[in-house]
Amino acid sequence: MVLGRAHVSVLSKEAVGLFYDHLEERFTAQDIAAETWNKHINANKYWCKFLVKKGIIGSNPGSNPFETVKLKTVFRDPQAMELEEAEKLIAMITPDNGISTKGVKRVEKVDFYRPWLADYLMVSVLIGGRPGEIVNLRWNQVTPNYVALINYKVNHATNETHHRNYVYINPELATILARLTKHQKSEDDYVLVPDTKNRTGLRQFVNKAFKHYWKQVNPDKNLTLNNLRHTYINAILNSIGEEGIPVHNKKETAVRHYLSKKRRQNWEEGKVLFGFDPAILEGKLSH
């Protein structure tokens, strides 16, 4: 295989086969998920598509041999936290339960407890955003009726910046946000842990802390911070149906179609999404 305008450029099926064998040897033994495998194949497919477009490896669709490579089947079984499990998790977040260790030869103590951790996880559940959307949430995205989450995933894929997901503020979320506003200094402040500038580091810590505490709740159920989004979506489906799922990108469309007038009115009259113990919403079970 030679890539370059000054040479005869051919990407042979044999070369693709070698790459396929490489993935088999590298990933099968490590039991990597089919989704990860497919990402490698797709990355090469789109790269070669670009080369075809530029005329580097041919100019017709058949010049891209990755187009015919069969992807592996991805089996999805998204897990979610039940209400009882969520309440147990919040109650578990105490200083004593936060102590762990790391290392083998040199064992070190690790403290996963933070006084704000319970609120962080509750906001994650009640908004249903992706971890990156939650950690970067600012007060200027919060209105009296809804939260405008920045859809970083779609923005990155489209090389745009305007995509948003609009999440209606139900009474339980409103209770927590009302408490958090006491720490707000400006509209540009982060909603959660506003004094921490390193948001990537914060997200990584919360992910580890969640895993630590979750093991004490249900070690047989493998959940991560990402599963809190599934918890929210399940609650939405059970409460008001598919129309409540935050999938709209344009503000006008979201506000008009996010909830029907009747169901929105029901929530405004006090209908809650989960039914959490009020003490949790008031921050009285996390210490």
Side-chain angles (χ1 to χ4, degrees), residues 12-277:
S12 67
K13 291 185 178 180
E14 288 75 15
V16 176
L18 289 173
F19 180 75
Y20 196 90
D21 291 341
H22 161 70
L23 292 183
E24 285 280 6
E25 294 176 3
R26 179 180 177 186
F27 291 126
T28 302
Q30 299 179 28
D31 195 28
I32 299 299
E35 189 171 6
T36 301
W37 172 288
N38 292 346
K39 285 181 180 179
H40 286 274
I41 296 296
N42 282 328
N44 280 276
K45 181 174 71 174
Y46 290 117
W47 168 238
C48 289
K49 185 176 181 179
F50 169 79
L51 296 178
V52 171
K53 181 178 179 181
K54 294 295 183 179
I56 296 176
I57 59 171
S59 58
N60 60 75
S63 300
N64 184 355
F66 278 97
E67 288 285 357
T68 59
V69 175
K70 186 177 180 180
L71 299 178
K72 291 183 178 291
T73 302
V74 177
F75 297 97
R76 299 185 183 278
D77 183 21
Q79 297 291 308
M81 225 176 10
E82 302 299 329
L83 173 63
E84 296 77 10
E85 293 175 324
E87 292 186 333
K88 287 181 181 179
L89 174 66
I90 299 304
M92 190 68 66
I93 301 177
T94 66
D96 290 341
N97 293 331
I99 302 302
S100 183
T101 59
K102 68 177 182 178
V104 180
K105 294 183 178 180
R106 184 179 178 181
V107 179
E108 299 180 27
K109 185 176 78 171
V110 180
D111 184 5
F112 286 110
Y113 174 77
R114 297 293 186 275
W116 45 259
L117 183 59
D119 282 341
Y120 193 109
L121 297 180
M122 286 298 297
V123 170
S124 298
V125 171
L126 291 169
I127 289 182
R130 299 181 180 92
E133 297 168 352
I134 298 297
V135 75
N136 290 305
L137 179 64
R138 297 178 186 267
W139 284 110
N140 56 25
Q141 298 170 242
V142 180
T143 78
N145 295 316
Y146 60 87
V147 176
L149 289 176
I150 299 176
N151 194 326
Y152 293 102
K153 182 177 180 179
V154 174
N155 283 340
H156 178 73
T158 60
N159 197 28
E160 296 171 335
T161 60
H162 67 274
H163 293 280
R164 300 288 189 275
N165 285 334
Y166 295 85
V167 179
Y168 188 77
I169 297 180
N170 62 74
E172 292 171 301
L173 176 58
T175 299
I176 294 182
L177 291 178
R179 284 196 296 104
L180 294 177
T181 55
K182 298 177 182 179
H183 307 290
Q184 179 187 353
K185 298 177 182 178
S186 74
E187 289 295 306
D188 292 329
D189 279 355
Y190 291 108
V191 173
L192 296 161
V193 203
D195 294 332
T196 299
K197 303 302 180 183
N198 184 356
R199 307 310 285 186
T200 299
L202 175 61
R203 174 179 168 179
Q204 293 172 344
F205 171 81
V206 173
N207 188 50
K208 293 177 181 178
F210 173 84
K211 290 180 180 179
H212 168 77
Y213 282 108
W214 177 252
K215 286 180 181 179
Q216 300 176 61
V217 175
N218 190 345
D220 297 324
K221 190 174 182 179
N222 185 26
L223 294 188
T224 68
L225 204 58
N226 293 287
N227 293 99
L228 299 187
R229 178 172 169 81
H230 301 150
T231 299
Y232 171 83
I233 292 176
N234 281 357
I236 283 286
L237 289 172
N238 291 334
S239 181
I240 58 176
E242 293 184 3
E243 68 179 279
I245 298 177
V247 296
H248 303 292
N249 294 319
K250 294 183 178 180
K251 180 177 177 180
E252 295 79 6
T253 304
V255 173
R256 186 169 64 250
H257 296 298
Y258 184 65
L259 291 175
S260 68
K261 182 177 180 180
K262 181 177 179 180
R263 289 178 176 176
R264 183 166 63 246
Q265 184 177 21
N266 286 341
W267 268 10
E268 290 172 349
E269 292 176 351
K271 183 177 180 180
V272 297
L273 182 58
F274 285 93
F276 281 110
D277 184 334

